[in-house]
Amino acid sequence: MATTINILSICGSGTVTSSMVAAKLKDKLAQRGYNVTTTEARPTEALNLAQSGRFDILTHTSPLPKGDYGIPVVNAFSCVIGIGEDAFIDEVVEAIKSIGK
């Protein structure tokens, strides 16, 4: 049975880029045996959502407010430019492993 990973995907508007990153994560991580759920949000919402205990990992394409997010945070900007996407996915998988999933 696939492990479910809850990812918080952050971009400036909370819709366009974060949805694109979320779709790529669902596709690429499914190929590695993970079931992914995502929530898209704006940077101003990131800290409260990350601290809610509902998410395993946070990915972002916009700068984040300073704070203790309490979960692994992975920069997803490579998904925007299309360079380094495999390294980004590898970094997310490492973050998943770091939390024991």
Side-chain angles (χ1 to χ4, degrees), residues 57-73:
I57 295 171
L58 183 152
T59 62
H60 64 99
T61 58
S62 297
L64 295 171
K66 298 268 186 253
D68 180 5
Y69 288 82
I71 56 176
V73 175

Side-chain angles (χ1 to χ4, degrees), residues 4-63:
T4 297
I5 307 299
N6 297 307
I7 297 178
L8 179 57
S9 185
I10 303 294
C11 75
S13 69
T15 53
V16 181
T17 308
S18 57
S19 295
M20 180 189 76
V21 170
K24 284 185 184 188
L25 285 167
K26 286 178 182 178
D27 178 51
K28 298 288 187 182
L29 293 176
Q31 294 173 19
R32 298 185 186 207
Y34 294 102
N35 179 40
V36 176
T37 63
T38 59
T39 299
E40 293 81 34
R42 296 184 302 278
T44 54
E45 303 166 306
L47 192 58
N48 283 340
L49 285 169
Q51 292 175 344
S52 72
R54 294 175 24 219
F55 300 98
D56 299 308
I57 295 171
L58 183 152
T59 62
H60 64 99
T61 58
S62 297

